[in-house]
Amino acid sequence: MEAIFIDKHYSLVVECKQGSKKACYELYRLYSKAMLNVAFRIVGDIAEAEDVLQEAFLDAFNKLKDFRQETTFGLWLKQIVVNRSINQLRKRKMELIELDGNHLEDIPDEEPADDDEIQYQVTMVKEAMKQLPDGYRVVISLYLLEGYDHEEIGQILNISENTSRTQFLRAKRKLMEILSRKGKVI
C-alpha cells in the first residue's frame, strides 16, 4: 500500500510551480518562522540561521519543478533546511570524533524517552543547549527536537550510528551538568 500525503498547501505549491510570486511569498510566510527555528536549533546563531533560511528557500524555489509532492512541502523544505544547516556547521569545521568499538560498552541500545518531562522543561533545556559545543548541540537537536533517529543522524552528519548515540549521550550529560550548575535538576 502506498502512503498518501495530504498537503494543505498543495494549491500554493502548484501556483508556485506555475510562476506565481504571490504564492511563493505565501509559502515563505507560512514556513519561514518554523524553518528559522529548525536552523537556529542546529547552528546556534540567529544570523547564521537567517542565512541558512534564505539559502534553503532559494534552493526550494529553484528546485520546485523537481518536487513531486511525494511528501508534504513542509517536510521537503525541512530536509533542505536541515541539510543547509549541517553544511553551515561543516563550514565552521565542526568536528565529530569517530570512536572505535572499544569505547562503546556502556552505551545502551535505545535511550529511554521521557517526553512529558522534556516538554515540561523545554525552555530551560533550550537555553542550556545554547551552551553546548556544536557537535553535541546538533546531534541532540536532530534527535530530540527534529525527531531523527541515530541511523538518520549518522547519514546526515556522515558519522556512524554509534557515534551519533555517543554524541547524544555526552550532550545529555553535559546538559545535565549545565542545568545542575544553574540549580535546575531534570
Side-chain angles (χ1 to χ4, degrees), residues 116-166:
D116 293 336
E117 189 68 18
I118 291 169
Q119 289 301 319
Y120 175 72
Q121 299 179 355
V122 73
T123 303
M124 262 188 317
V125 171
K126 282 183 178 180
E127 286 301 313
M129 283 176 67
K130 292 177 185 176
Q131 299 175 36
L132 291 174
D134 288 343
Y136 289 177
R137 189 182 65 253
V138 171
V139 171
I140 204 166
S141 293
L142 290 173
Y143 185 81
L144 291 178
L145 303 175
E146 304 307 328
Y148 289 100
D149 63 29
H150 291 294
E151 181 181 0
E152 294 167 323
I153 294 169
Q155 291 171 354
I156 291 169
L157 297 176
N158 198 26
I159 59 175
S160 72
E161 184 176 339
N162 283 334
T163 299
S164 175
R165 289 179 192 279
T166 301

Short mmCIF file of all heavy atoms in Angstrom, two decimals, residues 116-166:
data_model
loop_
_atom_site.label_atom_id
_atom_site.label_comp_id
_atom_site.label_asym_id
_atom_site.label_seq_id
_atom_site.Cartn_x
_atom_site.Cartn_y
_atom_site.Cartn_z
N ASP A 116 7.19 13.69 28.41
CA ASP A 116 6.45 14.63 29.25
C ASP A 116 7.40 15.53 30.04
O ASP A 116 7.20 16.75 30.11
CB ASP A 116 5.53 13.89 30.22
CG ASP A 116 4.40 13.17 29.51
OD1 ASP A 116 4.05 13.59 28.38
OD2 ASP A 116 3.88 12.19 30.07
N GLU A 117 8.43 14.94 30.61
CA GLU A 117 9.40 15.72 31.37
C GLU A 117 10.16 16.68 30.47
O GLU A 117 10.40 17.83 30.83
CB GLU A 117 10.38 14.78 32.08
CG GLU A 117 11.28 15.46 33.06
CD GLU A 117 10.57 16.00 34.29
OE1 GLU A 117 9.43 15.58 34.57
OE2 GLU A 117 11.14 16.85 34.97
N ILE A 118 10.52 16.24 29.28
CA ILE A 118 11.24 17.09 28.34
C ILE A 118 10.37 18.29 27.95
O ILE A 118 10.84 19.43 27.93
CB ILE A 118 11.69 16.30 27.09
CG1 ILE A 118 12.79 15.30 27.49
CG2 ILE A 118 12.19 17.23 26.00
CD1 ILE A 118 13.13 14.30 26.42
N GLN A 119 9.09 18.03 27.66
CA GLN A 119 8.19 19.11 27.28
C GLN A 119 7.99 20.10 28.42
O GLN A 119 7.91 21.30 28.20
CB GLN A 119 6.83 18.54 26.84
CG GLN A 119 6.88 17.83 25.51
CD GLN A 119 7.36 18.72 24.40
OE1 GLN A 119 6.99 19.88 24.30
NE2 GLN A 119 8.21 18.18 23.55
N TYR A 120 7.92 19.59 29.63
CA TYR A 120 7.70 20.43 30.81
C TYR A 120 8.84 21.42 31.01
O TYR A 120 8.65 22.55 31.40
CB TYR A 120 7.51 19.54 32.05
CG TYR A 120 7.39 20.30 33.33
CD1 TYR A 120 6.23 21.02 33.63
CD2 TYR A 120 8.43 20.31 34.25
CE1 TYR A 120 6.12 21.72 34.80
CE2 TYR A 120 8.33 21.02 35.43
CZ TYR A 120 7.17 21.72 35.70
OH TYR A 120 7.06 22.42 36.87
N GLN A 121 10.06 20.99 30.73
CA GLN A 121 11.23 21.82 30.99
C GLN A 121 11.92 22.29 29.72
O GLN A 121 13.10 22.61 29.72
CB GLN A 121 12.21 21.04 31.86
CG GLN A 121 11.60 20.67 33.20
CD GLN A 121 12.55 19.86 34.06
OE1 GLN A 121 13.63 19.50 33.63
NE2 GLN A 121 12.15 19.59 35.27
N VAL A 122 11.19 22.38 28.63
CA VAL A 122 11.78 22.66 27.32
C VAL A 122 12.49 24.01 27.26
O VAL A 122 13.56 24.13 26.66
CB VAL A 122 10.72 22.51 26.19
CG1 VAL A 122 9.73 23.65 26.20
CG2 VAL A 122 11.39 22.37 24.85
N THR A 123 11.97 25.01 27.89
CA THR A 123 12.60 26.33 27.84
C THR A 123 13.96 26.31 28.52
O THR A 123 14.94 26.82 27.97
CB THR A 123 11.71 27.39 28.51
OG1 THR A 123 10.44 27.39 27.85
CG2 THR A 123 12.33 28.77 28.41
N MET A 124 14.03 25.69 29.70
CA MET A 124 15.31 25.57 30.41
C MET A 124 16.33 24.81 29.57
O MET A 124 17.49 25.19 29.49
CB MET A 124 15.11 24.80 31.72
CG MET A 124 14.98 25.66 32.93
SD MET A 124 14.98 24.65 34.43
CE MET A 124 13.93 23.29 34.03
N VAL A 125 15.87 23.72 28.99
CA VAL A 125 16.77 22.88 28.20
C VAL A 125 17.27 23.62 26.97
O VAL A 125 18.45 23.57 26.64
CB VAL A 125 16.08 21.55 27.82
CG1 VAL A 125 16.91 20.76 26.83
CG2 VAL A 125 15.79 20.72 29.07
N LYS A 126 16.38 24.34 26.28
CA LYS A 126 16.80 25.09 25.09
C LYS A 126 17.85 26.14 25.44
O LYS A 126 18.81 26.33 24.68
CB LYS A 126 15.60 25.75 24.42
CG LYS A 126 14.77 24.78 23.60
CD LYS A 126 13.64 25.50 22.90
CE LYS A 126 12.84 24.56 22.04
NZ LYS A 126 11.74 25.23 21.36
N GLU A 127 17.68 26.80 26.57
CA GLU A 127 18.68 27.78 26.99
C GLU A 127 20.01 27.10 27.28
O GLU A 127 21.07 27.59 26.90
CB GLU A 127 18.19 28.55 28.23
CG GLU A 127 17.11 29.55 27.94
CD GLU A 127 17.54 30.61 26.93
OE1 GLU A 127 18.64 31.18 27.06
OE2 GLU A 127 16.77 30.86 25.98
N ALA A 128 19.96 25.96 27.96
CA ALA A 128 21.19 25.22 28.26
C ALA A 128 21.84 24.68 26.99
O ALA A 128 23.07 24.63 26.88
CB ALA A 128 20.90 24.09 29.24
N MET A 129 21.01 24.29 26.01
CA MET A 129 21.53 23.75 24.75
C MET A 129 22.39 24.76 24.01
O MET A 129 23.33 24.40 23.31
CB MET A 129 20.39 23.27 23.85
CG MET A 129 19.81 21.95 24.28
SD MET A 129 18.40 21.45 23.29
CE MET A 129 19.17 21.16 21.72
N LYS A 130 22.10 26.03 24.18
CA LYS A 130 22.88 27.07 23.52
C LYS A 130 24.33 27.06 23.98
O LYS A 130 25.21 27.55 23.28
CB LYS A 130 22.26 28.45 23.77
CG LYS A 130 20.92 28.65 23.10
CD LYS A 130 20.35 30.00 23.46
CE LYS A 130 18.96 30.17 22.89
NZ LYS A 130 18.35 31.44 23.31
N GLN A 131 24.58 26.49 25.17
CA GLN A 131 25.93 26.46 25.73
C GLN A 131 26.71 25.21 25.31
O GLN A 131 27.89 25.09 25.62
CB GLN A 131 25.86 26.53 27.25
CG GLN A 131 25.21 27.81 27.75
CD GLN A 131 25.04 27.80 29.25
OE1 GLN A 131 25.88 27.28 29.97
NE2 GLN A 131 23.96 28.36 29.72
N LEU A 132 26.06 24.28 24.62
CA LEU A 132 26.74 23.05 24.21
C LEU A 132 27.67 23.30 23.02
O LEU A 132 27.39 24.17 22.19
CB LEU A 132 25.70 22.00 23.80
CG LEU A 132 24.83 21.41 24.89
CD1 LEU A 132 23.77 20.50 24.28
CD2 LEU A 132 25.66 20.65 25.91
N PRO A 133 28.73 22.52 22.91
CA PRO A 133 29.56 22.58 21.69
C PRO A 133 28.71 22.20 20.48
O PRO A 133 27.72 21.46 20.60
CB PRO A 133 30.64 21.51 21.95
CG PRO A 133 30.65 21.28 23.42
CD PRO A 133 29.26 21.57 23.90
N ASP A 134 29.10 22.67 19.31
CA ASP A 134 28.32 22.46 18.09
C ASP A 134 27.94 20.99 17.86
O ASP A 134 26.79 20.68 17.58
CB ASP A 134 29.07 22.96 16.86
CG ASP A 134 29.13 24.47 16.78
OD1 ASP A 134 28.34 25.14 17.47
OD2 ASP A 134 29.96 24.98 16.00
N GLY A 135 28.91 20.10 17.96
CA GLY A 135 28.65 18.69 17.68
C GLY A 135 27.58 18.11 18.59
O GLY A 135 26.70 17.40 18.14
N TYR A 136 27.67 18.42 19.87
CA TYR A 136 26.66 17.93 20.82
C TYR A 136 25.29 18.54 20.51
O TYR A 136 24.28 17.85 20.49
CB TYR A 136 27.05 18.30 22.25
CG TYR A 136 28.22 17.56 22.84
CD1 TYR A 136 28.66 17.88 24.11
CD2 TYR A 136 28.89 16.55 22.16
CE1 TYR A 136 29.73 17.22 24.70
CE2 TYR A 136 29.97 15.90 22.73
CZ TYR A 136 30.38 16.23 24.00
OH TYR A 136 31.43 15.58 24.58
N ARG A 137 25.28 19.86 20.29
CA ARG A 137 24.01 20.56 20.07
C ARG A 137 23.30 20.05 18.81
O ARG A 137 22.10 19.86 18.80
CB ARG A 137 24.24 22.08 19.97
CG ARG A 137 22.93 22.87 19.94
CD ARG A 137 23.12 24.36 19.80
NE ARG A 137 23.71 24.69 18.52
CZ ARG A 137 24.95 25.09 18.33
NH1 ARG A 137 25.76 25.24 19.35
NH2 ARG A 137 25.40 25.35 17.13
N VAL A 138 24.07 19.78 17.76
CA VAL A 138 23.46 19.31 16.52
C VAL A 138 22.82 17.94 16.71
O VAL A 138 21.66 17.73 16.35
CB VAL A 138 24.51 19.24 15.38
CG1 VAL A 138 23.95 18.54 14.17
CG2 VAL A 138 24.96 20.64 15.01
N VAL A 139 23.55 17.01 17.31
CA VAL A 139 23.02 15.66 17.47
C VAL A 139 21.80 15.67 18.39
O VAL A 139 20.77 15.07 18.07
CB VAL A 139 24.11 14.69 18.00
CG1 VAL A 139 23.50 13.35 18.38
CG2 VAL A 139 25.18 14.49 16.93
N ILE A 140 21.88 16.37 19.51
CA ILE A 140 20.75 16.37 20.44
C ILE A 140 19.54 17.09 19.83
O ILE A 140 18.40 16.68 20.03
CB ILE A 140 21.15 16.94 21.82
CG1 ILE A 140 20.20 16.39 22.89
CG2 ILE A 140 21.21 18.44 21.82
CD1 ILE A 140 20.69 16.60 24.31
N SER A 141 19.79 18.13 19.04
CA SER A 141 18.69 18.84 18.37
C SER A 141 18.01 17.94 17.33
O SER A 141 16.78 17.88 17.27
CB SER A 141 19.19 20.11 17.68
OG SER A 141 19.61 21.05 18.62
N LEU A 142 18.83 17.28 16.52
CA LEU A 142 18.25 16.41 15.50
C LEU A 142 17.47 15.26 16.14
O LEU A 142 16.41 14.87 15.65
CB LEU A 142 19.34 15.86 14.58
CG LEU A 142 19.98 16.87 13.63
CD1 LEU A 142 21.16 16.24 12.89
CD2 LEU A 142 18.97 17.43 12.65
N TYR A 143 17.96 14.73 17.23
CA TYR A 143 17.32 13.58 17.88
C TYR A 143 16.07 14.02 18.64
O TYR A 143 14.97 13.50 18.40
CB TYR A 143 18.30 12.88 18.82
CG TYR A 143 17.74 11.62 19.42
CD1 TYR A 143 17.75 10.43 18.71
CD2 TYR A 143 17.21 11.60 20.70
CE1 TYR A 143 17.24 9.26 19.25
CE2 TYR A 143 16.69 10.45 21.25
CZ TYR A 143 16.71 9.28 20.53
OH TYR A 143 16.19 8.13 21.06
N LEU A 144 16.22 14.97 19.57
CA LEU A 144 15.10 15.33 20.44
C LEU A 144 14.09 16.27 19.78
O LEU A 144 12.88 16.11 19.97
CB LEU A 144 15.61 15.99 21.72
CG LEU A 144 16.37 15.10 22.69
CD1 LEU A 144 16.85 15.92 23.88
CD2 LEU A 144 15.49 13.94 23.15
N LEU A 145 14.58 17.24 19.05
CA LEU A 145 13.67 18.28 18.55
C LEU A 145 13.17 18.02 17.13
O LEU A 145 12.05 18.40 16.80
CB LEU A 145 14.36 19.64 18.62
CG LEU A 145 14.86 20.03 20.02
CD1 LEU A 145 15.61 21.34 19.97
CD2 LEU A 145 13.71 20.09 21.02
N GLU A 146 13.99 17.40 16.31
CA GLU A 146 13.59 17.17 14.93
C GLU A 146 13.08 15.75 14.70
O GLU A 146 12.54 15.45 13.64
CB GLU A 146 14.74 17.47 13.97
CG GLU A 146 15.31 18.88 14.11
CD GLU A 146 14.29 19.98 14.03
OE1 GLU A 146 13.28 19.84 13.31
OE2 GLU A 146 14.46 21.00 14.71
N GLY A 147 13.29 14.85 15.65
CA GLY A 147 12.72 13.51 15.56
C GLY A 147 13.49 12.52 14.71
O GLY A 147 12.98 11.47 14.36
N TYR A 148 14.74 12.83 14.38
CA TYR A 148 15.54 11.88 13.61
C TYR A 148 16.05 10.79 14.55
O TYR A 148 16.30 11.04 15.73
CB TYR A 148 16.74 12.58 12.96
CG TYR A 148 16.37 13.48 11.83
CD1 TYR A 148 16.27 14.85 12.01
CD2 TYR A 148 16.11 12.97 10.56
CE1 TYR A 148 15.93 15.69 10.96
CE2 TYR A 148 15.77 13.80 9.51
CZ TYR A 148 15.68 15.15 9.72
OH TYR A 148 15.34 15.98 8.68
N ASP A 149 16.23 9.56 14.02
CA ASP A 149 16.84 8.52 14.83
C ASP A 149 18.35 8.55 14.58
O ASP A 149 18.84 9.28 13.73
CB ASP A 149 16.22 7.14 14.56
CG ASP A 149 16.42 6.65 13.14
OD1 ASP A 149 17.42 7.01 12.50
OD2 ASP A 149 15.57 5.87 12.68
N HIS A 150 19.08 7.74 15.35
CA HIS A 150 20.54 7.79 15.27
C HIS A 150 21.07 7.34 13.91
O HIS A 150 22.09 7.85 13.44
CB HIS A 150 21.17 6.98 16.41
CG HIS A 150 20.95 7.61 17.74
ND1 HIS A 150 21.51 8.80 18.10
CD2 HIS A 150 20.19 7.22 18.80
CE1 HIS A 150 21.14 9.13 19.32
NE2 HIS A 150 20.33 8.18 19.77
N GLU A 151 20.39 6.42 13.27
CA GLU A 151 20.81 5.99 11.94
C GLU A 151 20.70 7.16 10.95
O GLU A 151 21.62 7.42 10.17
CB GLU A 151 19.96 4.81 11.46
CG GLU A 151 20.37 4.29 10.10
CD GLU A 151 19.50 3.13 9.63
OE1 GLU A 151 18.58 2.71 10.35
OE2 GLU A 151 19.77 2.65 8.52
N GLU A 152 19.58 7.88 11.01
CA GLU A 152 19.38 9.03 10.12
C GLU A 152 20.39 10.14 10.42
O GLU A 152 20.94 10.76 9.51
CB GLU A 152 17.96 9.57 10.26
CG GLU A 152 16.91 8.61 9.77
CD GLU A 152 15.50 9.02 10.18
OE1 GLU A 152 15.30 9.53 11.31
OE2 GLU A 152 14.58 8.80 9.37
N ILE A 153 20.63 10.39 11.71
CA ILE A 153 21.60 11.42 12.10
C ILE A 153 22.98 11.05 11.56
O ILE A 153 23.71 11.89 11.04
CB ILE A 153 21.63 11.60 13.63
CG1 ILE A 153 20.29 12.18 14.11
CG2 ILE A 153 22.79 12.51 14.05
CD1 ILE A 153 20.10 12.16 15.61
N GLY A 154 23.32 9.77 11.68
CA GLY A 154 24.60 9.30 11.16
C GLY A 154 24.73 9.57 9.67
O GLY A 154 25.79 10.01 9.20
N GLN A 155 23.66 9.33 8.93
CA GLN A 155 23.68 9.58 7.49
C GLN A 155 23.80 11.07 7.18
O GLN A 155 24.56 11.47 6.30
CB GLN A 155 22.44 8.99 6.83
CG GLN A 155 22.43 7.48 6.84
CD GLN A 155 21.09 6.90 6.38
OE1 GLN A 155 20.13 7.61 6.16
NE2 GLN A 155 21.06 5.58 6.25
N ILE A 156 23.06 11.88 7.91
CA ILE A 156 23.07 13.33 7.68
C ILE A 156 24.45 13.91 7.96
O ILE A 156 24.96 14.73 7.20
CB ILE A 156 22.00 14.04 8.54
CG1 ILE A 156 20.59 13.68 8.06
CG2 ILE A 156 22.20 15.55 8.54
CD1 ILE A 156 19.49 14.11 9.01
N LEU A 157 25.07 13.48 9.07
CA LEU A 157 26.34 14.05 9.50
C LEU A 157 27.55 13.28 9.00
O LEU A 157 28.68 13.65 9.28
CB LEU A 157 26.40 14.11 11.04
CG LEU A 157 25.36 14.99 11.72
CD1 LEU A 157 25.47 14.88 13.23
CD2 LEU A 157 25.51 16.44 11.28
N ASN A 158 27.28 12.19 8.29
CA ASN A 158 28.36 11.34 7.77
C ASN A 158 29.22 10.78 8.90
O ASN A 158 30.45 10.85 8.86
CB ASN A 158 29.20 12.10 6.75
CG ASN A 158 30.00 11.16 5.88
OD1 ASN A 158 29.62 10.00 5.68
ND2 ASN A 158 31.11 11.64 5.36
N ILE A 159 28.54 10.26 9.93
CA ILE A 159 29.19 9.60 11.06
C ILE A 159 28.49 8.28 11.27
O ILE A 159 27.43 8.02 10.71
CB ILE A 159 29.13 10.46 12.36
CG1 ILE A 159 27.67 10.75 12.76
CG2 ILE A 159 29.93 11.75 12.19
CD1 ILE A 159 27.50 11.48 14.07
N SER A 160 29.05 7.43 12.12
CA SER A 160 28.41 6.15 12.39
C SER A 160 27.22 6.34 13.34
O SER A 160 27.13 7.34 14.06
CB SER A 160 29.40 5.16 13.01
OG SER A 160 29.68 5.53 14.34
N GLU A 161 26.34 5.36 13.32
CA GLU A 161 25.19 5.39 14.23
C GLU A 161 25.68 5.41 15.68
O GLU A 161 25.12 6.12 16.52
CB GLU A 161 24.32 4.16 13.96
CG GLU A 161 23.05 4.11 14.76
CD GLU A 161 22.18 2.93 14.38
OE1 GLU A 161 22.32 2.37 13.28
OE2 GLU A 161 21.34 2.55 15.23
N ASN A 162 26.71 4.64 15.99
CA ASN A 162 27.26 4.61 17.35
C ASN A 162 27.84 5.96 17.76
O ASN A 162 27.72 6.37 18.92
CB ASN A 162 28.31 3.51 17.50
CG ASN A 162 27.68 2.15 17.63
OD1 ASN A 162 26.54 2.02 18.07
ND2 ASN A 162 28.41 1.12 17.25
N THR A 163 28.47 6.65 16.84
CA THR A 163 28.99 7.98 17.15
C THR A 163 27.85 8.93 17.45
O THR A 163 27.93 9.74 18.38
CB THR A 163 29.86 8.51 15.99
OG1 THR A 163 30.95 7.61 15.80
CG2 THR A 163 30.38 9.91 16.27
N SER A 164 26.77 8.82 16.70
CA SER A 164 25.59 9.64 16.98
C SER A 164 25.07 9.36 18.38
O SER A 164 24.77 10.29 19.14
CB SER A 164 24.50 9.37 15.94
OG SER A 164 23.33 10.07 16.27
N ARG A 165 24.95 8.09 18.73
CA ARG A 165 24.49 7.72 20.08
C ARG A 165 25.43 8.27 21.16
O ARG A 165 24.99 8.80 22.17
CB ARG A 165 24.41 6.20 20.22
CG ARG A 165 23.29 5.56 19.46
CD ARG A 165 23.34 4.04 19.67
NE ARG A 165 22.47 3.36 18.75
CZ ARG A 165 21.16 3.23 18.91
NH1 ARG A 165 20.58 3.73 19.96
NH2 ARG A 165 20.44 2.60 18.02
N THR A 166 26.74 8.14 20.92
CA THR A 166 27.72 8.61 21.89
C THR A 166 27.63 10.13 22.04
O THR A 166 27.62 10.65 23.17
CB THR A 166 29.14 8.21 21.44
OG1 THR A 166 29.20 6.79 21.33
CG2 THR A 166 30.18 8.69 22.44
#
